[in-house]
């Protein structure tokens, strides 16, 4: 029975490993694309960088969302792999990962908000450029706080698996 279990889980484990590698490639790739756009403590510089590198920023955010989707798939694969050992513990771990992914995906709204704030929309004429730069920078700060919250859930997930 033990040899049968090990033999049947091997292809699943390999596929899970491939998806895990894909996750790391997309997560690191997305962050590398975004590197240097947000200037710490400088809203005006961040706004200038965002305007100059808008396409790279949008691609980076898209790749980041793809990494979140990949991690959701990875959560399902880990659930399937570990549920043979302890279904309840595997389901609990999957729950924490799904909540972390949901927070991460929601946080992405704060990451893309500056693109709208710094865009060419008539309703934004109500604000001065300094105010818009500050709001865009604040949005990145909120994104960072959301990431910290998601890490709590991912930490529990990693501990459980």
């Amino acid at each position: 029975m033990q040899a049968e279990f090990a033999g049947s889980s091997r292809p699943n484990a390999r596929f899970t490993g491939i998806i895990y590698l894909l996750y790391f490639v997309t997560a690191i790739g997305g962050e590398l694309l975004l590197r240097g756009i947000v200037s710490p403590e400088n809203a005006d510089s961040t706004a200038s960088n965002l305007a100059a590198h808008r396409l790279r920023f949008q691609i980076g955010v898209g790749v980041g969302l793809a990494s979140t989707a990949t991690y959701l798939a990875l959560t399902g694969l880990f659930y399937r792999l570990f549920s043979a050992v302890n279904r309840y513990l595997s389901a609990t771990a999957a729950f924490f990962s799904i909540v972390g992914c949901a927070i991460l995906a929601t946080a992405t709204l704060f990451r893309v908000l500056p693109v709208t704030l710094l865009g060419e929309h008539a309703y934004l004429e109500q604000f001065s450029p300094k105010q818009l730069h500050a709001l865009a920078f604040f949005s990145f700060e909120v994104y960072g706080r959301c990431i910290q919250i998601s890490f709590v859930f991912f930490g529990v997930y990693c501990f459980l698996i």
Side-chain angles (χ1 to χ4, degrees), residues 99-144:
V99 171
C101 286
I103 292 170
L104 193 58
T106 303
T108 303
L109 293 171
F110 291 105
R111 202 173 214 183
V112 298
L113 179 61
V115 172
T116 302
L117 289 172
L118 301 173
E120 304 279 330
H121 304 287
Y123 59 86
L124 293 174
E125 293 173 2
Q126 304 296 319
F127 301 98
S128 72
K130 279 274 203 211
Q131 289 173 323
L132 290 173
H133 295 176
L135 283 171
F137 193 76
F138 175 72
S139 182
F140 286 123
E141 290 287 324
V142 173
Y143 170 78

Side-chain angles (χ1 to χ4, degrees), residues 79-98:
Y79 169 76
R80 189 173 72 182
L81 193 64
F82 294 135
S83 66
V85 178
N86 186 327
R87 187 179 209 92
Y88 174 75
L89 194 59
S90 185
T92 303
F95 169 78
F96 278 97
S97 180
I98 291 168

